[in-house]
Amino acid sequence: MPSVATRNKFTRQLTTVWNSPRITELRASVVKWQKTPYSGIVILVTGTVLATLIIMVLDRSSVLLPNPGLVYLPVVAFLAYYWNWRYAAIATLLQLYCVYFFFIPPKDALKPLNTASVTQLVTLAAVTGFVLLIVQLAHGRRLMAEHAAERLMALNRIGAALTSELKEERLLHLIAETARDLTGAEFAAFTLRPINRLGQPLVPSEGNLFHLAAVVGVTKEQEMVLERMRLGGEGLLAPIFRHGVPVRVEDALEYMPHPENIQSAKLRARSIESRESARQAAFEYAHGHQTKEGLRSLGVPPGHPIVRSFLGAPLLDSNGNVRGGLLLGHSEPDRFTQDDEALLVGIAAQAAIALENARLYSAAQEQAQELDAIFESIIDGVALVDDDGKVLRKNKTAHQLLKALGKNTEVAENLLRRVAAYALNDEIDMSIPITVVDGSKEEREYLVSASPLRQPAMGSGPLAAVEGSNILEANMQSTMQNANSQLLRTGAVVVWHDVTEARKLLVERQAHAETEARRALLQTVIDELPSGVYLVSGRDARLVLANRAVTEVWGASWTYGQPMSDFLKSNGIRVFHVDGRPMALEDLATLRTLLTGESVYHYQETIVHRDGTTLPILTNAVAIDPQVLGLYAQEETAGGSKMAETAAIVVQQDVTALKEAERLKDEFIGIAAHELRTPLAVVKGFAQTLIVQTAHGKGPELADWQMEAIQDIDQATSRLVELTEDLLDVTRLQAGRLQLQFEPADLVALVQRIVKRFKVTTERHQIELDTAEENIVVTIDPRRIEQVVSNLISNAIKYSLDADKIEIAVLEDKSANTALFYVRDYGIGIPAHQQSRIFSRFMRADNAHANNIGGTGLGLYLCRELVERHNGRIWFESVEGQGSTFYVSLPLMPTE
Ligand code: ADP
């Protein structure tokens, strides 16, 4: 073992010395000198002379050399190995002569040869010949090895050149040029099969569908011919394109179909036949069943460069598919060797790789551009950040965001370092909410999150193209450091996700949900109400909202958006006044409110359904501000804007039960009043009899107090009679049994009569009557109008506690065809809040109670009923504490 170690050491030392600069330099100059023309002759002469001198010296020093000629052998071998056999042959002849002349006795003289010396010279010549043979063999081997090495180097050089060229067009040209130059061809053409972006062939390998990709060594005209030519798997090209094997032909002329065959009459058929046979031959050649001599050429078209020597090799992709063909030609026969073929196959292999590289490169470029475009167009802000929180790359949105944050370093720090650090610690799910004020001073909310950026170990993904070379270098360094791990973490991708709109939407959605919930609650509440509640808008009262009870009240379901008149008409619903008169559509509380914009309260209507059932209702229609509800007309105004529509909320109360109670009450009052009449008549009759009889002196004289008592009884009974009459009138009115006896009467005379009567009863009040006309004739029930006038005057007296003036006037308004009279007092007046209900039954104002003024609250009710039965109107003006004026207007000519 030690000896082996020592030898290895020795060999190593030797190699070191041999490769040392000085020795290498020396070797190089020797090699250079060796190439000079006379170097062989110099070595031949000096070698022979030196060998001769050495033998002579050895001879003189009486060293016995059995065959001195052998000393020349190294010179001969050296010349044969490094120069050529001619120098070696000359050296052999010289050596034989020297041995004969100098060393065969007698020495240094010409002499005849004897058997021994001939034997010696022949032996020497034979040994030298043998050595020469061996050296020649070694020389041949060396040349072959050198040639192979040279080719390999050439291939490597080509490979390097090809793979560094990424532009496909230039690459193709370079391949063709290299192939031509290395093989000594006259021209080279490169055909390609069309492929898609993924590198898959788009056409079959047969059918002449390849296209000319590059050509060198031809004239412009020839190039045009070649471009127009259909290239593909026919003739000599068939084995290459169809079967993917190389073809080398010494002389293409020999493969042409026989001239007679082409010229013959059945040219077409023959040509097809020859095509078929060429195809068959190609198949057999490709599968090793046929030598290349069996191949068929189909000839070349006019204008094509002459091809006698032909060499072609297929370009195979990684799946073994034919990707194209590299074709070489020469106008002289037998120009391509086996080596050329091997070389071309090598070049084709390199070219295939280079082409694939170019394709991948352009695909990667395209992809990178696509990714770039996507990256830039992302709405979210995206930035690539390295380990130190330095921004390597950012898209447009991120750029703008960082600009907006420019001054606020703390925020920027948060955004980048902190978030990136989370990602680098593999805390991917961390996201930070942040608010940024953008260029238009609008506050925007972002959710900033990051994920680690991983790249393949030696990767050069599209995102590796970062700004600034220093970053690239840094990447390279970290790449080297982590070469062992599969994926490298080179930084983080930070994403600002704009959640402003999403947040707004969420808030809006919540608000909407709340509103919806409230609306639903409200709907439930109003649905559960016993009264009908509905909302209408527009002058035609289109339904906006309604509760369940509305359907019951109307006896039909009212669809949303349907105008009220449509609804009533289509469902055969009619509406009547309390007294049974049909109500005009515009008099309905709902429509009146919408048309006038004023609320209507406690309005009595009677609904008659299609089936004839009736329903008395009390309606409150409240006008509401349409803008509050956001209700707008469908038609636009002239100005183009939409008008807010009038709207009303209507509550309908079913008063059937109330009506029934009222009817019962009226009936009871009626019966009671009726039953009271007889006893009252008896009491009043006897009281008056007592007074009259006593006055006539019949019976015993009554004491004063007895007389007063009887007069009180008489007055009280009168009031009771009046009250029962009023009550009976009320019940008659309610039951529709009040009959009026119309007849022409003079209103002026009627009022004068009543005033006269009242003047008698009061001393405290001054009643002034103003009559512009002598007489005003109206058709009335005089008794009932008298009742009205009396009631108004008695009220004026009754409610004027501190005032004494009462003004009465009777007027005629010819244009309006009405007679008008009023009663004005300066008494307590009626409180404003009770004025709207003052004509209701039993309604008495608070101040009447407060001042202890007696009354029933039936008088004004009866007045209104009676006046309206006369087709007249009654109304009043009153200010609390200042007085009231009650007006009555009656038609001059009755309409009834
Ligand atoms: P009564 O006078 O019996 O109470 P009425 O129906 O005649 O009933 O009147 C109804 C109410 O109207 C009265 O209670 C009173 O409060 C009010 N009123 C009527 N006339 C006047 C008036 N001239 N001045 C002040 N208040 C009046």
Side-chain angles (χ1 to χ4, degrees):
M1 290 303 277
S3 71
V4 173
T6 325
R7 206 167 56 227
N8 280 350
K9 200 176 165 194
F10 177 71
T11 320
R12 264 208 309 280
Q13 275 171 353
L14 212 64
T15 316
T16 318
V17 173
W18 181 251
N19 287 331
S20 65
R22 198 172 293 173
I23 300 293
T24 312
E25 207 175 301
L26 200 71
R27 271 166 41 213
S29 50
V30 168
V31 169
K32 204 166 146 198
W33 177 75
Q34 196 189 338
K35 295 235 169 77
T36 57
Y38 302 109
S39 59
I41 292 171
V42 172
I43 292 291
L44 170 72
V45 175
T46 39
T48 309
V49 171
L50 267 174
T52 310
L53 287 175
I54 289 166
I55 299 165
M56 277 178 178
V57 171
L58 291 172
D59 209 33
R60 299 289 182 272
S61 54
S62 65
V63 174
L64 193 69
L65 288 168
N67 196 339
L70 293 179
V71 177
Y72 290 99
L73 280 181
V75 179
V76 174
F78 192 67
L79 280 168
Y81 194 78
Y82 284 107
W83 278 263
N84 59 39
W85 64 272
R86 289 183 189 91
Y87 288 113
I90 295 168
T92 310
L93 289 176
L94 269 175
Q95 151 208 319
L96 286 173
Y97 179 76
C98 288
V99 170
Y100 157 77
F101 190 78
F102 295 114
F103 306 117
I104 290 174
K107 294 172 182 174
D108 308 327
L110 294 168
K111 55 235 143 180
L113 292 167
N114 57 22
T115 326
S117 53
V118 167
T119 312
Q120 190 186 353
L121 284 176
V122 167
T123 311
L124 181 61
V127 170
T128 311
F130 186 65
V131 167
L132 263 179
L133 203 71
I134 289 169
V135 169
Q136 200 59 40
L137 264 175
H139 182 67
R141 283 275 165 82
R142 197 190 118 198
L143 280 183
M144 267 166 68
E146 272 176 7
H147 192 59
E150 260 172 35
R151 239 183 23 222
L152 204 66
M153 272 164 67
L155 263 183
N156 279 342
R157 274 203 311 276
I158 298 159
L162 295 187
T163 42
S164 62
E165 180 58 67
L166 292 169
K167 285 263 175 300
E168 191 166 309
E169 205 178 314
R170 277 216 303 271
L171 177 72
L172 295 169
H173 202 264
L174 189 67
I175 293 168
E177 213 168 45
T178 315
R180 184 193 61 171
D181 293 350
L182 282 175
T183 55
E186 272 180 350
F187 78 91
F190 201 159
T191 67
L192 277 181
R193 184 176 179 180
I195 52 162
N196 63 13
R197 263 181 70 181
L198 300 171
Q200 291 153 342
L202 290 171
V203 296
S205 58
E206 61 270 7
N208 298 334
L209 294 164
F210 286 42
H211 64 87
L212 182 73
V215 61
V216 288
V218 294
T219 61
K220 267 266 159 262
E221 291 76 36
Q222 286 171 335
E223 190 174 332
M224 272 149 74
V225 169
L226 283 170
E227 264 164 17
R228 276 200 304 275
M229 246 177 85
R230 292 158 22 114
L231 300 160
E234 300 294 350
L236 292 177
L237 302 180
I240 306 168
F241 290 168
R242 289 196 170 196
H243 307 292
V245 292
V247 169
R248 180 165 57 93
V249 166
E250 284 84 3
D251 191 349
L253 285 184
E254 288 170 19
Y255 297 84
M256 296 288 272
H258 210 269
E260 299 96 73
N261 285 352
I262 303 172
Q263 300 299 326
S264 75
K266 296 174 180 170
L267 177 104
R268 227 174 106 80
R270 290 284 161 83
S271 129
I272 291 167
E273 200 178 283
S274 67
R275 197 171 289 265
E276 284 301 316
S277 66
R279 239 176 240 174
Q280 183 59 31
F283 178 81
E284 285 171 11
Y285 169 75
H287 291 83
H289 306 313
Q290 169 83 280
T291 56
K292 68 180 175 204
E293 282 71 24
L295 287 173
R296 292 277 167 276
S297 166
L298 293 174
V300 289
H304 189 284
I306 296 158
V307 184
R308 290 195 68 180
S309 298
F310 171 75
L311 178 57
L315 239 76
L316 302 175
D317 65 15
S318 51
N319 298 324
N321 293 323
V322 179
R323 170 86 170 82
L326 198 47
L327 314 170
L328 304 178
H330 203 289
S331 56
E332 283 169 21
D334 206 10
R335 291 300 292 248
F336 301 122
T337 62
Q338 183 81 41
D339 284 355
D340 292 334
E341 186 179 326
L343 187 69
L344 191 68
V345 169
I347 292 174
Q350 296 275 19
I353 294 167
L355 263 181
E356 182 66 7
N357 280 350
R359 188 187 65 76
L360 286 175
Y361 177 74
S362 75
Q365 289 278 86
E366 242 172 70
Q367 221 172 13
Q369 277 170 5
E370 276 172 22
L371 284 176
D372 267 0
I374 294 169
F375 183 71
E376 285 303 333
S377 61
I378 296 172
I379 301 248
D380 290 343
V382 183
L384 307 188
V385 178
D386 71 4
D387 298 18
D388 302 329
K390 186 171 169 191
V391 181
L392 304 181
R393 206 176 163 194
K394 51 189 177 282
N395 70 355
K396 219 161 69 193
T397 318
H399 182 77
Q400 285 162 356
L401 270 167
L402 280 179
K403 227 167 102 185
L405 288 169
K407 286 170 210 136
N408 200 340
T409 43
E410 199 192 328
V411 179
E413 197 109 321
N414 273 349
L415 284 178
L416 301 170
R417 281 191 204 173
R418 233 173 83 198
V419 185
Y422 286 141
L424 290 167
N425 293 334
D426 283 337
E427 295 168 32
I428 300 165
D429 286 340
M430 287 301 299
S431 42
I432 299 172
I434 192 142
T435 308
V436 179
V437 179
D438 70 4
S440 50
K441 299 269 179 287
E442 202 185 313
E443 240 185 38
R444 299 203 75 81
E445 271 183 73
Y446 289 88
L447 215 55
V448 187
S449 63
S451 43
L453 178 65
R454 293 177 203 276
Q455 288 187 353
M458 298 301 282
S460 54
L463 296 179
V466 288
E467 304 158 25
S469 58
N470 52 336
I471 293 148
L472 261 178
E473 273 164 31
N475 272 356
M476 285 300 280
Q477 268 178 14
S478 59
T479 307
M480 304 306 267
Q481 283 161 10
N482 299 290
N484 292 338
S485 60
Q486 279 261 304
L487 288 171
L488 293 178
R489 220 170 37 208
T490 50
V493 184
V494 181
V495 178
W496 284 263
H497 185 53
D498 188 343
V499 291
T500 321
E501 300 306 324
R503 188 59 58 86
K504 263 192 212 159
L505 217 66
L506 198 74
V507 171
E508 270 168 29
R509 213 173 279 168
Q510 270 170 359
H512 179 74
E514 275 170 29
T515 317
E516 189 53 32
R518 270 206 292 269
R519 197 198 63 77
L521 182 71
L522 205 70
Q523 181 74 43
T524 318
V525 170
I526 67 163
D527 270 350
E528 292 311 316
L529 285 178
S531 308
V533 180
Y534 61 85
L535 176 70
V536 277
S537 76
R539 299 174 66 83
D540 50 353
R542 276 169 284 109
L543 187 68
V544 178
L545 185 87
N547 72 348
R548 268 207 299 267
V550 170
T551 310
E552 284 164 32
V553 169
W554 292 111
S557 90
W558 187 354
T559 43
Y560 290 121
Q562 188 179 23
M564 191 171 200
S565 60
D566 264 21
F567 165 65
L568 297 180
K569 208 184 276 174
S570 61
N571 289 292
I573 302 167
R574 286 163 301 146
V575 186
F576 292 86
H577 287 281
V578 205
D579 55 12
R581 284 176 300 130
M583 196 180 268
L585 202 63
E586 59 274 12
D587 284 343
L588 261 79
T590 308
L591 281 158
R592 239 168 65 191
T593 305
L594 289 172
L595 294 174
T596 61
E598 278 167 27
S599 303
V600 175
Y601 293 100
H602 302 288
Y603 194 71
Q604 290 199 38
E605 292 169 345
T606 305
I607 295 173
V608 180
H609 299 148
R610 192 199 286 277
D611 60 3
T613 51
T614 57
L615 187 75
I617 54 162
L618 199 64
T619 306
N620 279 352
V622 185
I624 46 173
D625 183 358
Q627 266 157 350
V628 173
L629 291 176
L631 294 169
Y632 290 93
Q634 274 154 0
E635 315 84 42
E636 285 182 359
T637 59
S641 61
K642 288 192 168 181
M643 273 267 290
E645 283 202 307
T646 49
I649 190 129
V650 182
V651 181
Q652 300 173 309
Q653 194 186 346
D654 176 356
V655 288
T656 317
L658 280 177
K659 282 268 167 197
E660 181 58 14
E662 213 169 68
R663 194 188 61 76
L664 287 173
K665 184 193 73 190
D666 287 346
E667 209 173 280
F668 167 74
I669 293 171
I671 293 167
H674 193 77
E675 290 307 314
L676 277 173
R677 266 174 126 189
T678 321
L680 276 178
V682 174
V683 172
K684 192 170 172 63
F686 280 117
Q688 286 200 334
T689 310
L690 270 174
I691 294 167
V692 173
Q693 294 301 333
T694 307
H696 290 175
K698 289 185 183 170
E701 182 120 349
L702 294 177
D704 280 354
W705 65 270
Q706 283 171 320
M707 196 58 191
E708 269 173 34
I710 294 170
Q711 276 172 347
D712 280 352
I713 290 171
D714 181 47
Q715 268 178 22
T717 317
S718 293
R719 279 211 301 280
L720 268 176
V721 170
E722 264 172 43
L723 177 63
T724 50
E725 282 308 315
D726 277 359
L727 284 173
L728 278 172
D729 280 348
V730 170
T731 51
R732 279 192 206 109
L733 270 173
Q734 290 298 312
R737 286 198 317 257
L738 188 92
Q739 297 293 326
L740 297 183
Q741 307 297 327
F742 284 98
E743 59 187 65
D746 180 3
L747 190 63
V748 178
L750 187 137
V751 176
Q752 278 170 341
R753 202 170 54 240
I754 300 166
V755 169
K756 210 169 161 186
R757 201 175 70 219
F758 271 101
K759 274 185 174 166
V760 179
T761 59
T762 173
E763 281 154 16
R764 206 163 59 86
H765 294 92
Q766 294 171 19
I767 304 175
E768 287 170 15
L769 173 64
D770 174 14
T771 49
E773 310 288 331
E774 284 277 295
N775 45 46
I776 302 170
V777 180
V778 282
T779 307
I780 50 171
D781 182 333
R783 203 170 64 83
R784 291 300 181 185
I785 292 303
E786 196 181 320
Q787 189 182 339
V788 172
V789 178
S790 304
N791 207 320
L792 294 181
I793 298 174
S794 86
N795 277 353
I797 294 168
K798 196 160 67 169
Y799 296 107
S800 297
L801 294 176
D802 303 324
D804 51 4
K805 203 168 173 193
I806 290 166
E807 295 160 6
I808 301 170
V810 186
L811 313 161
E812 185 180 355
D813 183 354
K814 284 220 167 72
S815 64
N817 195 30
T818 52
L820 175 82
F821 79 89
Y822 62 80
V823 181
R824 177 170 296 143
D825 66 65
Y826 297 91
I828 61 168
I830 303 165
H833 71 278
Q834 289 178 313
Q835 290 184 0
S836 65
R837 286 177 290 139
I838 213 72
F839 288 108
S840 306
R841 275 189 295 164
F842 307 111
M843 175 64 201
R844 302 208 67 220
D846 295 342
N847 57 351
H849 284 295
N851 286 300
N852 235 339
I853 303 169
T856 57
L858 286 174
L860 283 182
Y861 168 74
L862 282 173
C863 286
R864 192 190 67 179
E865 289 295 321
L866 292 172
V867 170
E868 284 184 356
R869 295 286 163 112
H870 279 83
N871 283 325
R873 246 165 36 85
I874 180 168
W875 71 99
F876 68 92
E877 287 162 358
S878 179
V879 178
E880 193 178 2
Q882 290 184 15
S884 318
T885 309
F886 279 82
Y887 299 87
V888 172
S889 84
L890 293 166
L892 284 174
M893 301 303 288
T895 45
E896 248 182 10

